Amino acid sequence: MKDIKYILEPALEDKKSLDELIYNDLECDIDFKDILVKKPWGSEYLLYENEYCAIWILNIKYMQNTSMHCHVKKQTSLVCLDGEIMCGTLEKTNLLQPLEGLFFEKKIFHQTQAINEKGAFVLEIETPVNKFDLARINDTYGRQGKEYENKKCYEDVENLSLSFPNNTVKKIGNTKIEIVKINAIEELEKYGLNSIVSILDKDEKMGKILRLKDLKEIKEGSIVLVLSQE
């Protein structure tokens, strides 16, 4: 299983591409809870949101791909949950299998393609919360330069989103997704060391993914995303 890769600095090509775009600095006021957003490559939905982070689940069809896009004000953590994906930047392409992930600093362009015949499920953590922070430069479906999908693409679906503390577990493929409150790091010992965790509270590591084996300390009462395989 690969280590998580952290891409922390925009490349010159990222900066050049962003400079050539007209970026609309929009604020999102839509509550996406239990809404399925239909995409030309599949669909996505909000799994969990608090005032600091938003977690989204993407279902990408075989050989379909997201746009090559970046977020001007948001950091992005990305984890393959099921299937297999190619996630590329303007410089390099990364192959990800379940429970492998990437972290992108803001203003870094990236694109994800499902290469498994059954498609792929991908989890993304966006920090801070603003679904309309989006800049597209290339798109298979003609959406380059366009804003996020409008309400014509929204479908109400019950029980899509998790709601802490009452509904906090979902399983996709062999990957278990949990939102837990942790008072001591020892409470995470029941998970495998290669599990992926992310602190969802205000913290210097907020929204960033890391292997459980690399988490050395945690604040009492922290809300944590845990991705594990049974």
Side-chain angles (χ1 to χ4, degrees), residues 105-141:
E105 190 51 81
K106 58 188 178 182
K107 299 182 180 181
I108 295 174
F109 284 92
H110 54 281
Q111 181 178 50
T112 305
Q113 181 182 51
I115 58 172
N116 184 286
E117 290 184 357
K118 295 182 180 180
F121 283 90
V122 178
L123 180 144
E124 288 190 351
I125 309 172
E126 299 177 347
T127 313
V129 178
N130 181 11
K131 198 58 183 172
F132 290 172
D133 176 12
L134 177 66
R136 294 165 165 152
I137 53 168
N138 294 312
D139 183 63
T140 304
Y141 319 100

Side-chain angles (χ1 to χ4, degrees), residues 91-222:
E91 290 192 319
K92 187 176 180 180
T93 299
N94 301 274
L95 172 66
L96 298 180
Q97 296 179 335
L99 227 59
E100 295 179 342
L102 298 167
F103 172 82
F104 299 102
E105 190 51 81
K106 58 188 178 182
K107 299 182 180 181
I108 295 174
F109 284 92
H110 54 281
Q111 181 178 50
T112 305
Q113 181 182 51
I115 58 172
N116 184 286
E117 290 184 357
K118 295 182 180 180
F121 283 90
V122 178
L123 180 144
E124 288 190 351
I125 309 172
E126 299 177 347
T127 313
V129 178
N130 181 11
K131 198 58 183 172
F132 290 172
D133 176 12
L134 177 66
R136 294 165 165 152
I137 53 168
N138 294 312
D139 183 63
T140 304
Y141 319 100
R143 299 172 301 160
Q144 57 269 19
K146 294 184 179 180
E147 298 168 2
Y148 189 72
E149 277 70 15
N150 60 37
K151 293 183 179 181
K152 293 180 180 179
C153 300
Y154 302 170
E155 178 184 347
D156 293 328
V157 179
E158 292 185 359
N159 300 318
L160 273 181
S161 304
L162 298 181
S163 180
F164 186 85
N166 300 316
N167 176 23
T168 60
V169 180
K170 185 181 285 282
K171 190 172 182 182
I172 295 177
N174 292 321
T175 303
K176 189 176 183 181
I177 306 166
E178 297 177 76
I179 310 291
V180 297
K181 184 176 182 179
I182 298 297
N183 291 312
I185 198 168
E186 290 77 16
E187 296 174 29
L188 295 170
E189 290 178 354
K190 63 181 180 179
Y191 301 103
L193 292 177
N194 280 323
S195 298
I196 288 179
V197 296
S198 181
I199 297 171
L200 304 179
D201 287 319
K202 191 171 184 179
D203 185 274
E204 63 180 10
K205 297 185 288 292
M206 175 178 65
K208 293 183 179 180
I209 51 172
L210 65 157
R211 296 284 179 202
L212 178 54
K213 63 185 178 181
D214 297 322
L215 182 66
K216 305 305 181 186
E217 60 182 5
I218 195 167
K219 295 177 184 177
E220 182 177 352
S222 292

